[in-house]
């Protein structure tokens, strides 16, 4: 019997998970969707965010989400530094496609193995008042360790969306995505705008990482599973579109949750990549594409 | 850097003879283990370079071909009750992976650049999930393989595997070299430089890309086929290891992607250093080392070692 309880639980859990996926993907939606920087190391940065949250939480008992916010400026600076290297080595010479990909691929390994060497391969988890608690809406259970990340992710996505749509610098980021030359003619420096945007994209990983470790235990190579998810979400959402990205994240979360409830969790990793392959093969412009 | 055909074949024969001599002289199996790993990396690197270096399509899914090659041997070995000889398994793995390569080639029809790379990464994960859920092949728990007792005239099984891998790698280098020197290789280079322009100039881009992905797939399958007998235990996380994929990319990038010699040099350097680091320090550090080398080389010397050498010679010749 296909129980309604099971299905509604899977749907709600998927929706909450999908919101969290949006928080993980929003940085990539900026760097890959807007700036055309194929940051494969993005999920690895998210895992670094998790480790920062874990360290501060276990040492000083700080709330992980708060740590995520506090660490964001540091991540911003790291992102700016990485973009400087990327720009000097690849973008300026027009080699960003092949060499740039390899650069981020190597960076991903360095980050992952660096964490492994420093903290080992054990699963790490954080403690906070709301982890482990849940409340019920009828037959549907709402675990707070999923609700808190969902709300935080909603705030993050909404904030970034407003920022890009309403503020001067936000609109400059959208402009550099459309036509860097035109931006230059308007008297703005595309490199500085891109540098700021990449810093912003990296800053979101601090919060996303904190949310990741609130949802469940984290070990250094957990980022690999997210490569497929984040790229699937950004491509499915239509590259540049933040709203599209959000809808795609919710969709993927729901499909994954339903698949792992009814077919078994071992099939879940294939869902994201299957969605990604299908999108690329059938509709590369995504659901809400610009083209 | 130009090598006359006769000189190349003399070198190849010398390498094979050297390998045979080694199996007579050395009787510490550890050395053959280490050499086998380096050769496996070299074969993967040469294969990767046929697509990645010659046509500029970056394949992140090398591990999928490798693992499908390994699992093809496991399947056939198990299905026919451990009687099939190694060459048959290798040929079967090559055929299966060539087919997958062909499919990937058709994928390149729609997907260019970055999207192609991400799709190959996605393909690797889909295959990994399928095999993790396939009970017959051991699923996520992995499969044990019995090493056959027979090993021709060699002193041990690993010596025979080493010799087989040496032969396969030399063959792969020969294929890669003849590809790049032929008319076909010039077509591939045209695709790398500008696919649209090549198409307009009458280069049959699709057919060339299909040839290159198929050859790449087959060679990677060949690299994976003997792997189960080498390690005797295969599970999805070791066969689909990203480490295989990063090595396949890092070795050609460090050695130089434009020349057939690049992946060979890169593999000798990186593979050799990895063996030394694994023994003297730790195996985690060796992954870190590959990552660092890759990042440094692509940022500072995108043409790789071969490119640096060519530049050096050009400067000496014309002062």
């Amino acid at each position: 019997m296909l129980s309604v309880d099971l299905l509604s639980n899977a749907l709600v859990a998927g929706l909450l998970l999908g919101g969290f996926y949006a928080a993980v993907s929003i940085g990539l939606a900026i760097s890959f969707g807007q700036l055309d920087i194929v940051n494969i190391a993005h999920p690895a940065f998210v895992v670094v965010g998790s480790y920062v949250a874990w360290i501060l939480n276990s040492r000083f008992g700080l709330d992980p989400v708060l740590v995520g916010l506090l660490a964001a400026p540091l991540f911003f600076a790291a992102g700016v530094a990485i973009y400087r290297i990327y720009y000097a080595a690849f973008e300026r010479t027009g080699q960003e496609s092949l060499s740039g990909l390899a650069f981020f691929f190597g960076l991903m390994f360095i980050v992952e193995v660096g964490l492994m060497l420093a903290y080992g391969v054990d699963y790490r988890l954080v403690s906070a008042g709301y982890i482990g608690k849940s409340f019920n809406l009828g037959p549907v259970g709402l675990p707070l360790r999923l609700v808190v990340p969902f709300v935080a992710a909603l705030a993050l996505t909404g904030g970034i969306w407003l920022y890009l749509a309403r503020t001067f610098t936000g609109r400059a980021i959208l402009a550099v995505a459309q036509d860097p030359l035109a931006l230059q003619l308007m008297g703005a420096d595309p490199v500085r705008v891109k540098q700021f945007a990449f810093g912003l994209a990296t800053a979101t990983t601090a919060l996303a990482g904190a949310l990741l470790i609130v949802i469940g235990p984290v070990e250094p190579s957990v980022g690999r599973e997210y490569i497929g998810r984040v790229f699937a979400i950004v491509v499915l959402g239509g590259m540049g579109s933040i709203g599209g990205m959000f809808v795609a994240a919710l969709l993927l979360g729901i499909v994954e949750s339903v698949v792992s409830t009814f077919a078994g969790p071992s099939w879940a990793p294939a869902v994201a990549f299957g969605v990604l392959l299908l999108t690329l093969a059938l509709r590369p412009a995504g659901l809400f594409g610009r083209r | 850097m130009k090598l006359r055909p006769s000189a190349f074949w003399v070198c190849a024969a010398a390498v094979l003879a050297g390998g045979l001599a080694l199996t007579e002289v050395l009787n510490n199996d550890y050395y053959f283990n280490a050499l086998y790993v380096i050769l496996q990396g070299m074969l993967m690197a040469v294969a990767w370079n046929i697509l990645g270096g010659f046509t500029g399509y970056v394949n992140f899914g090398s591990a999928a071909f490798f693992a499908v090659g390994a699992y093809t041997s496991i399947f056939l070995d198990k299905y026919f009750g451990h009687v099939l000889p190694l060459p048959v398994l290798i040929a079967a793995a090559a055929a299966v992976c060539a087919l997958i390569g062909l499919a990937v080639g058709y994928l390149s029809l729609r997907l260019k650049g970055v999207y192609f790379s991400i799709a190959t990464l996605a393909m690797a994960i889909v295959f990994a999930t399928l095999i993790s859920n396939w009970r017959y092949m051991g699923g996520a728990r992995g499969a044990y393989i019995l090493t056959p007792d027979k090993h021709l005239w060699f002193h041990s099984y690993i010596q025979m595997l080493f010799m087989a891998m040496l032969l396969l790698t030399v063959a792969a280098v020969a294929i890669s070299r003849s590809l790049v020197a032929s008319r076909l290789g010039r077509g591939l280079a045209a695709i790398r430089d500008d696919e649209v322009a090549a198409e307009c100039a009458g280069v049959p881009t699709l057919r060339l890309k299909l040839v290159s992905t198929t050859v790449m797939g087959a060679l990677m399958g060949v690299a994976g086929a003997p792997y189960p007998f080498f390690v005797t235990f295969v599970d999805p996380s070791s066969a689909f290891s990203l480490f295989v994929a990063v090595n396949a990319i890092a070795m050609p990038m460090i050695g130089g992607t434009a020349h057939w010699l690049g992946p060979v040099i890169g593999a000798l350097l990186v593979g050799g250093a990895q063996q030394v680091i694994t023994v003297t320090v730790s195996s985690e550090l060796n992954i870190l080392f590959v990552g660092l080398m890759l990042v440094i080389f692509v940022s500072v010397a995108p043409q790789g070692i071969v490119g640096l050498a060519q530049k050096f010679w050009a400067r000496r010749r014309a002062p």
Side-chain angles (χ1 to χ4, degrees):
Chain A
M1 190 190 86
L2 195 129
S3 96
V4 181
D5 279 11
L6 206 57
L7 183 66
S8 52
N9 264 305
L11 286 177
V12 170
L15 190 74
L16 296 177
L17 198 64
F20 159 69
Y21 286 170
V24 180
S25 313
I26 186 136
L28 195 74
I30 297 174
S31 57
F32 181 45
Q34 304 285 359
L35 311 176
D36 287 330
I37 299 172
V38 196
N39 186 2
I40 292 191
H42 183 83
F45 296 159
V46 172
V47 176
V48 177
S50 295
Y51 270 79
V52 172
W54 167 66
I55 292 164
L56 291 184
N57 178 268
S58 55
R59 290 266 167 79
F60 308 107
L62 287 178
D63 182 81
V65 179
L66 182 70
V67 173
L69 289 174
L70 291 178
L74 273 178
F75 275 64
F76 180 87
V80 169
I82 290 169
Y83 180 77
R84 296 301 312 181
I85 298 173
Y86 176 79
Y87 172 74
F90 309 109
E91 230 172 38
R92 206 177 37 166
T93 50
Q95 284 170 326
E96 59 259 41
S97 57
L98 203 157
S99 307
L101 264 176
F103 171 74
F104 281 114
F105 200 61
L107 202 62
M108 178 179 95
F109 267 82
I110 294 174
V111 168
E112 194 180 308
V113 179
L115 285 176
M116 234 179 245
L117 286 172
Y119 302 108
V121 289
D122 304 331
Y123 277 96
R124 306 292 180 186
L125 50 129
V126 290
S127 52
Y130 44 85
I131 294 174
K133 289 196 184 119
S134 73
F135 57 89
N136 292 320
L137 267 179
V140 179
L142 290 171
L144 275 176
R145 66 175 178 84
L146 281 178
V147 175
V148 170
F150 179 78
V151 173
L154 214 59
L156 177 67
T157 321
I160 298 263
W161 182 74
L162 274 179
Y163 169 77
L164 288 178
R166 295 291 158 81
T167 62
F168 184 77
T169 42
R171 293 171 77 97
I173 293 173
L174 295 182
V176 83
Q178 269 186 2
D179 193 341
L181 188 67
L183 188 75
Q184 208 163 14
L185 295 176
M186 296 300 145
D189 180 2
V191 175
R192 282 192 58 189
V193 174
K194 285 181 111 174
Q195 173 186 324
F196 182 81
F198 195 80
L200 183 70
T202 312
T204 65
T205 62
L207 186 59
L211 301 181
L212 175 67
I213 203 166
V214 166
I215 286 186
V218 170
E219 52 106 12
S221 64
V222 85
R224 291 180 193 173
E225 291 170 24
Y226 280 86
I227 299 175
R229 290 197 185 116
V230 292
F231 277 95
I233 288 167
V234 172
V235 172
L236 185 65
M239 292 301 282
S241 155
I242 300 289
M245 184 281 296
F246 191 70
V247 174
L250 293 185
L251 266 179
L252 188 72
I254 291 170
V255 174
E256 248 185 34
S257 163
V258 169
V259 166
S260 72
T261 306
F262 292 103
S266 62
W267 285 102
V271 171
F273 286 99
V275 167
L276 177 61
L277 274 181
L278 281 178
T279 318
L280 286 175
L282 301 176
R283 195 175 153 71
L287 291 177
F288 305 88
R290 288 182 281 188
R291 272 176 283 172
Chain B
M1 293 309 251
K2 282 274 186 295
L3 215 58
R4 270 179 294 126
S6 55
F8 174 78
W9 289 111
V10 168
C11 282
V15 167
L16 286 177
L20 272 179
L22 265 188
T23 60
E24 288 301 323
V25 179
L26 278 178
N27 46 25
N28 184 346
D29 278 353
Y30 163 73
Y31 291 108
F32 293 103
N33 265 305
L35 286 172
Y36 179 89
V37 173
I38 296 176
L39 285 173
Q40 175 187 299
M42 191 183 292
L43 183 48
M44 289 296 288
V46 169
W48 184 88
N49 201 45
I50 286 177
L51 184 71
F54 298 164
T55 63
Y57 276 82
V58 179
N59 172 15
F60 278 141
S62 315
F65 292 99
F66 178 80
V68 169
Y71 271 98
T72 307
S73 323
I74 294 176
F75 178 80
L76 291 176
D77 190 54
K78 204 171 162 184
Y79 191 80
F80 290 102
H82 320 290
V83 291
L84 291 181
L86 193 59
V88 174
L89 298 178
I90 293 175
V96 172
C97 291
L99 277 179
I100 299 176
L102 191 68
V104 167
Y106 276 108
L107 204 66
S108 77
L109 199 59
R110 285 199 73 120
L111 302 173
K112 309 274 180 248
V114 175
Y115 294 97
F116 177 81
S117 306
I118 298 170
T120 53
L121 190 65
M123 182 198 71
I125 307 279
V126 170
F127 273 117
T129 311
L130 284 180
I131 288 188
S132 306
N133 285 291
W134 193 356
R135 288 263 169 75
Y136 187 74
M137 308 281 243
R141 268 176 301 151
Y144 285 94
I145 303 296
L146 294 174
T147 310
D149 303 326
K150 285 179 290 187
H151 33 73
L152 300 180
W153 65 87
F154 295 102
H155 300 299
S156 64
Y157 192 74
I158 177 70
Q159 288 194 358
M160 189 186 90
L161 271 187
F162 156 73
M163 212 44 222
M165 204 44 146
L166 188 64
L167 191 66
L168 293 169
T169 309
V170 169
V173 172
I175 291 173
S176 147
R177 180 178 165 279
S178 61
L179 258 182
V180 79
S182 67
R183 216 178 126 72
L184 210 134
R186 288 198 292 279
L188 295 178
I191 295 176
R192 178 183 57 206
D193 293 340
D194 192 332
E195 193 166 338
V196 178
E199 180 81 57
C200 293
V203 177
T205 54
L206 177 63
R207 207 184 328 148
L208 291 184
K209 282 192 293 186
L210 291 182
V211 169
S212 112
T213 53
T214 308
V215 173
M216 173 204 71
L219 289 180
M220 285 183 174
V222 164
Y227 179 71
F229 299 100
F230 175 65
V231 287
T232 68
F233 169 72
V234 177
D235 67 339
S237 67
S238 69
F240 284 94
S241 149
L242 262 181
F243 187 56
V244 173
V246 81
N247 258 343
I249 296 175
M251 287 170 176
M253 291 292 244
I254 290 168
T257 52
H259 199 277
W260 60 269
L261 202 55
V264 177
I265 293 176
L268 283 178
L269 199 74
V270 175
Q274 275 171 347
Q275 289 303 323
V276 174
I277 293 174
T278 310
V279 174
T280 53
V281 197
S282 77
S283 53
E284 272 99 20
L285 202 71
N286 105 51
I287 308 182
L288 187 68
F289 166 77
V290 184
L292 275 175
M293 286 281 278
L294 178 61
V295 166
I296 292 172
F297 262 91
V298 297
S299 324
V300 182
Q303 310 301 322
I305 293 172
V306 171
L308 287 180
Q310 278 169 340
K311 223 183 272 175
F312 178 70
W313 265 307
R315 205 175 296 155
R316 274 189 51 179
R317 209 171 298 151

